[in-house]
């Protein structure tokens, strides 16, 4: 019998500090009106000094474990997606495994920038379908505020911190219907964050650098194509999708994908206004929010998608 990766729990964590557009406008030449009109963002969360990617991941993971009603020890694979790990090594996955008190199974990190959570879902799905794992925790966790140049108005208005988690378990009941992931490394100069120390510059600091306008155009076109690819692979029509849970980079990119699906914004989960772009955490944070507030119901069909540096992009179609 087909084994599906069924969603059994979700979780999320947002740091306490709220940084509004007004706060940012005090430091760089921008305004609340410009930021909101161009991006849909009003505020974002900023991690406190004592917080780390793994401490935030732990809170999100524990919520998912509690919702699923399993023991942490039942998890046999942990996948952490992050572009802001607290160490070069050990991986944040291993640190999280220890924080959760899990002594068996395997944990590792993936780096796919803002598409990290979708890449994580793809790996989890394939491990479960092949029988290599039974219960898989996927976490996206980011402290973008520490790799943001707060004097660069082209990027500092966009990003935020947070962690999202989903627990998947092998089941005869439907779960992930398909995943689709892609990358194209030729666009490094459009969106990147260097690691100066690894490049031999011991005193250097690496910040996010982006040609926003060009990234925007590629993102809209690429996400349009991933919608077509996902529907075709599942022999579905646009009207078969109940919810769109997009990566939260910019409301205009989200609206373009909704339009492609001929979907009203009432069926799109939007968190960008109060969270900004939390990279690999954004899709799982949005999914968690809509599951917990009851918008996403069991049996519904949910399309998750993301686009990020690399470029990387992908989708996951889930029967919740
Ligand atoms: O998650 C990973 C993928 N990342 C994304 O998907 C981000 C994609 N890009 C974007 O979201 C948008 O490109 C931005 C929000 C970053 C920028 O919006 P835009 O509509 O593409 O603006 P633009 O870069 O074309 O700039 C238009 C104008 C420029 O001024 P001039 O040359 O027309 O005089 C910029 O200098 O807006 C200016 N500008 C700003 N003005 C006020 C750029 N940033 C700001 C700002 N406040 N923060």
């Amino acid at each position: 019998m087909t084994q599906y990766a069924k969603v059994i729990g979700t979780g999320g964590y947002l740091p306490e500090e709220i940084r509004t557009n007004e706060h940012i406008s005090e430091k760089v030449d921008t305004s609340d009106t410009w930021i909101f009109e161009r991006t849909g963002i009003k505020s974002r969360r900023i991690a406190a000094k004592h917080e780390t990617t793994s401490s935030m991941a732990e809170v999100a993971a524990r919520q998912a474990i509690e919702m699923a009603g399993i023991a942490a020890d039942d998890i046999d694979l942990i996948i952490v997606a992050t572009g802001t790990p607290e160490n070069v090594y050990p991986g944040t996955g291993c640190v999280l495994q220890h924080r959760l008190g899990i002594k068996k199974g395997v944990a590792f990190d993936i780096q796919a920038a803002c598409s990290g959570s979708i890449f994580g879902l793809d790996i989890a799905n394939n491990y479960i379908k092949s029988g290599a794992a039974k219960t898989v925790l996927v976490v996206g966790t980011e402290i973008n505020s520490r790799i943001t140049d707060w004097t660069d108005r082209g990027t500092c208005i966009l990003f935020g911190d947070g962690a999202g988690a989903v627990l998947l378990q092998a089941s005869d009941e439907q779960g992930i219907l398909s995943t689709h992931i892609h990358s194209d490394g030729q666009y490094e100069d459009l969106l990147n964050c260097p690691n100066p120390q690894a490049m031999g510059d011991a005193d250097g600091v690496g910040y996010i650098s982006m040609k926003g306008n060009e990234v925007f155009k590629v993102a809209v076109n690429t996400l349009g194509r991933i919608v077509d690819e996902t529907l075709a692979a599942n022999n579905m029509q646009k009207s078969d999708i109940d919810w769109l849970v997009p990566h939260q980079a910019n409301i205009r990119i989200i609206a373009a994908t909704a339009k492609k699906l001929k979907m009203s914004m009432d069926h799109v989960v939007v968190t960008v206004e109060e969270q900004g772009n939390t990279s690999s955490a954004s899709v799982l944070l949005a999914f968690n929010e809509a599951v917990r507030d009851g918008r996403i119901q069991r049996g519904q069909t949910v399309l998750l998608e993301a686009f990020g540096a690399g470029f990387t992009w992908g989708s996951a179609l889930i029967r919740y």
Side-chain angles (χ1 to χ4, degrees):
M1 187 176 280
T2 312
Q3 284 289 286
Y4 287 98
K6 184 178 162 69
V7 176
I8 57 166
T10 65
Y13 175 75
L14 291 166
E16 235 175 82
E17 185 189 329
I18 296 171
R19 189 164 296 173
T20 63
N21 292 347
E22 284 81 5
H23 288 136
I24 293 177
S25 311
E26 287 164 14
K27 304 267 191 237
V28 292
D29 182 16
T30 188
S31 65
D32 174 47
T33 311
W34 193 95
I35 301 171
F36 187 63
E37 279 177 3
R38 298 288 179 117
T39 70
I41 300 168
K42 280 270 179 200
S43 62
R44 68 288 291 144
R45 299 300 187 99
I46 307 293
K49 270 206 173 100
H50 67 273
E51 290 182 306
T52 61
T53 35
S54 68
S55 73
M56 301 197 313
E58 182 185 353
V59 182
R62 287 195 185 278
Q63 279 184 12
I65 290 166
E66 196 187 340
M67 184 192 279
I70 62 163
D73 227 36
D74 294 335
I75 297 168
D76 46 21
L77 171 61
I78 298 173
I79 303 167
V80 172
T82 183
T84 53
E86 60 214 57
N87 310 304
V88 173
Y89 47 76
T92 310
C94 294
V95 180
L96 176 62
Q97 182 188 32
H98 180 60
R99 280 178 171 273
L100 295 172
I102 302 171
K103 290 196 165 57
K104 65 174 185 59
V106 64
F108 55 79
D109 292 14
I110 52 169
Q111 162 56 289
C114 298
S115 310
S117 56
I118 301 292
F119 277 51
L121 289 171
D122 176 80
I123 297 167
N125 188 36
N126 282 303
Y127 265 78
I128 287 177
K129 278 198 311 193
S130 72
K134 189 166 173 282
T135 306
V136 184
L137 173 67
V138 180
V139 182
T141 178
E142 302 283 4
I143 304 189
N144 287 315
S145 60
R146 294 182 191 156
I147 57 163
T148 296
D149 175 357
W150 289 98
T151 66
D152 173 15
R153 70 175 185 175
T155 53
C156 75
I157 58 164
L158 297 172
F159 295 95
D161 303 337
V166 63
L167 256 174
L168 300 151
Q169 195 163 57
S171 172
D172 299 338
E173 291 171 30
Q174 285 189 318
I176 294 179
L177 301 177
S178 71
T179 52
H180 308 267
I181 60 170
H182 301 276
S183 61
D184 184 345
Q186 69 173 302
Y187 296 103
E188 185 181 350
D189 62 321
L190 295 189
L191 178 53
N192 63 70
C193 179
N195 181 354
Q197 202 185 351
M199 296 292 286
D201 176 6
D203 301 323
V205 185
Y207 288 127
I208 300 167
S209 153
M210 182 170 71
K211 295 188 177 122
N213 198 294
E214 291 173 59
V215 175
F216 186 99
K217 287 179 214 153
V218 184
V220 169
N221 287 332
T222 307
L223 290 170
R225 288 204 310 275
I226 203 81
V227 166
D228 288 337
E229 181 185 337
T230 312
L231 292 174
N234 290 280
N235 205 12
M236 280 188 185
Q237 310 296 315
K238 292 171 179 170
S239 56
D240 293 327
I241 309 296
D242 295 304
W243 290 99
L244 174 64
V245 182
H247 170 49
Q248 311 282 321
N250 185 316
I251 192 69
R252 292 184 291 139
I253 298 175
I254 294 172
T257 310
K259 194 172 167 202
K260 168 93 193 172
L261 273 166
K262 293 193 165 63
M263 184 177 260
S264 113
M265 287 302 280
D266 297 347
H267 285 260
V268 182
V269 182
V270 178
T271 59
V272 73
E273 185 169 338
E274 288 172 347
Q275 295 175 18
N277 180 348
T278 58
S279 308
S280 68
S282 94
V283 173
L284 297 183
L285 271 166
F287 185 57
N288 175 57
E289 193 171 299
V291 164
R292 285 184 183 264
D293 68 20
R295 273 178 287 171
I296 295 177
Q297 296 282 322
R298 283 285 174 204
Q300 288 188 321
T301 306
V302 187
L303 176 61
L304 284 62
E305 47 84 343
F307 177 89
F311 288 146
T312 54
W313 64 97
S315 66
L317 191 71
I318 298 179
R319 174 84 23 87
Y320 181 70

